[in-house]
Amino acid sequence: MQPVPTDTRKERLLSLLSATGPLLGLILLCLLGALLNPDFATLDNLLNVLTRTAFIGIIAVGMTFVIMSGGIDLSVGAMAALIAGAMILIMNRLGAGVLADAPLLVVVLGIGLALLLGLLFGAGHGLLITKGRIEPFIVTLGTLGIFRAVLTYLADGGALTLDDALSDSYSPVYYGSLLGVPIPVWVLLLLALAGGLLLNRTAFGRHVQAIGSNEQVARYAAIRVDRVKLLTYALLGLCVGIATLLYVPRLGSATPTTGLLWELEAIAAVVVGGTSLKGGRRTHLRHPGGRHTAVGHQQYPQSDQHHQCLPQCRRAGHSDHHGCLHATQALRLLWTGRRKRRNGNDTSGGVSPRLRQGTGSSPTVKRLSR
């Protein structure tokens, strides 16, 4: 049976525009800025912009995993504000008490506290969403108000300020540079690289994409959906902690308005980076080796065999470039074959003849029929 083309040239063009649209818009804005002001395109200005937006970029790395898994987090700005306030409070008390002669140790402890709080807050979100079965929008919208309310209480409605001695010891974390590049930019680049490797080169990254594409099929494929979701929110919380520990030495203070609208900026950065708000799918240019399909919890290049979709999918007008269709049909037919076997009406090893004949050599069917 010859493969049936699933997309036309027009559809490919629209997909290309959809994938590159936000990026092209960003490039046009940069060109417009360079035309309006020649200093805009200088290296110093570029590094300055990257340094000031590194916090958003770091949070966007973790937000990518959450959005790709089908979730959302509206509390990252408020979380960063509360973490910053807690850091300043604890560091001031330690710096004025038992560790008055060791400001560097106080800074290290403050950094550890930021990472720990971010991880705990993110894991708390994950537990409420997975175990409490509450929508991510509701959970994170609620914690947004809680975080800012707690910080307002701790600061008595004002601002929390880091002591001068500690500020002098802590300031190189933000204002320092390595090879002429500010430290926040190095941290952003390293985290972006690590996030890309985690998403594209590990089983965890493929699980995240499979869950966002179709959570029910991911469960059928033996993916631990709740654990993966919990880890994505914990990872986002950790990224918020990293962004906050870089932000605190910049101003040395925290107020209830710190991090305002960071969540929207991070979500916008994720979308501009090519992640769909619907989850699961990434809009990207065609791979030189062919398009890739997420089937179950693995990725397989589309070939002629994989285009031999099940007849039901074709009659329903579905395309097979979402591997969940293969998995859904295969699971249903596999269950039918095993039920017949239990009833003594089938001796095909638990796989119905229709499943074996109608799906060719699909990797999904091979794995499910084992």
Side-chain angles (χ1 to χ4, degrees):
M1 179 179 178
Q2 293 296 326
V4 180
T6 59
D7 53 358
T8 63
R9 182 176 300 178
K10 180 179 179 181
E11 291 174 343
R12 289 197 296 268
L13 179 60
L14 292 176
S15 177
L16 178 63
L17 291 176
S18 175
T20 59
L23 182 60
L24 290 177
L26 178 62
I27 294 175
L28 289 177
L29 285 176
C30 292
L31 292 177
L32 180 61
L35 292 176
L36 294 176
N37 189 344
D39 294 333
F40 179 84
T42 61
L43 179 61
D44 290 340
N45 185 64
L46 177 61
L47 291 177
N48 181 49
V49 172
L50 286 175
T51 303
R52 292 177 179 272
T53 58
F55 320 116
I56 304 299
I58 291 170
I59 295 174
V61 173
M63 186 72 77
T64 299
F65 287 85
V66 170
I67 291 179
M68 192 165 287
S69 67
I72 196 72
D73 193 332
L74 302 177
S75 69
V76 292
M79 185 191 302
L82 180 57
I83 293 174
M87 283 181 63
I88 293 173
L89 275 178
I90 299 300
M91 290 173 66
N92 284 344
R93 292 187 179 182
L94 291 176
V98 294
L99 298 178
D101 298 329
L104 289 179
L105 180 58
V106 174
V107 171
V108 171
L109 292 176
I111 291 175
L113 177 65
L115 297 177
L116 178 61
L117 287 178
L119 192 62
L120 290 177
F121 289 155
H125 285 158
L127 287 174
L128 287 173
I129 292 167
T130 58
K131 303 302 181 182
R133 303 301 177 187
I134 308 174
E135 288 295 325
F137 183 91
I138 301 300
V139 170
T140 57
L141 183 62
T143 54
L144 182 154
I146 294 173
F147 291 154
R148 293 208 180 274
V150 172
L151 179 58
T152 302
Y153 171 78
L154 294 176
D156 289 330
L160 296 171
T161 305
L162 191 64
D163 290 342
D164 292 339
L166 295 175
S167 182
D168 293 338
S169 300
Y170 199 2
S171 59
V173 173
Y174 176 81
Y175 293 103
S177 61
L178 179 63
L179 301 178
V181 178
I183 290 179
V185 178
W186 280 114
V187 175
L188 172 60
L189 293 176
L190 291 175
L191 285 178
L193 178 61
L197 292 176
L198 183 63
L199 185 62
N200 297 299
R201 301 296 181 183
T202 66
F204 173 74
R206 292 191 290 272
H207 291 175
V208 169
Q209 297 177 56
I211 292 170
S213 179
N214 192 313
E215 181 176 329
Q216 193 62 35
V217 171
R219 293 184 187 274
Y220 290 154
I223 296 176
R224 297 181 179 179
V225 173
D226 289 348
R227 187 179 72 171
V228 172
K229 282 188 173 183
L230 175 62
L231 290 176
T232 59
Y233 282 96
L235 177 62
L236 175 56
L238 184 62
C239 289
V240 173
I242 295 173
T244 305
L245 68 88
L246 292 173
Y247 174 82
V248 169
R250 178 188 176 188
L251 299 176
S253 65
T255 68
T257 59
T258 296
L260 196 63
L261 298 182
W262 278 15
E263 54 275 353
L264 298 184
E265 295 179 11
I267 293 171
V270 171
V271 174
V272 171
T275 301
S276 172
L277 282 175
K278 297 178 181 179
R281 297 177 296 146
R282 286 171 299 151
T283 54
H284 53 275
L285 298 177
R286 183 184 180 94
H287 191 275
R291 291 169 297 160
H292 286 70
T293 300
V295 182
H297 65 284
Q298 297 184 11
Q299 288 186 337
Y300 301 94
Q302 289 187 348
S303 63
D304 292 345
Q305 294 176 339
H306 297 124
H307 279 291
Q308 298 176 3
C309 190
L310 296 176
Q312 294 83 354
C313 296
R314 289 295 182 200
R315 286 198 295 269
H318 294 305
S319 168
D320 69 338
H321 77 285
H322 295 306
C324 60
L325 296 177
H326 282 297
T328 303
Q329 292 289 69
L331 283 165
R332 183 174 63 83
L333 295 176
L334 181 61
W335 174 256
T336 302
R338 288 179 175 174
R339 185 172 57 183
K340 288 182 179 180
R341 187 184 180 191
R342 286 199 301 268
N343 295 334
N345 299 327
D346 181 60
T347 58
S348 60
V351 182
S352 66
R354 183 181 172 195
L355 178 62
R356 288 183 283 106
Q357 296 174 4
T359 57
S361 57
S362 170
T364 307
V365 175
K366 288 182 177 180
R367 288 189 294 110
L368 291 172
S369 60
R370 291 173 184 171

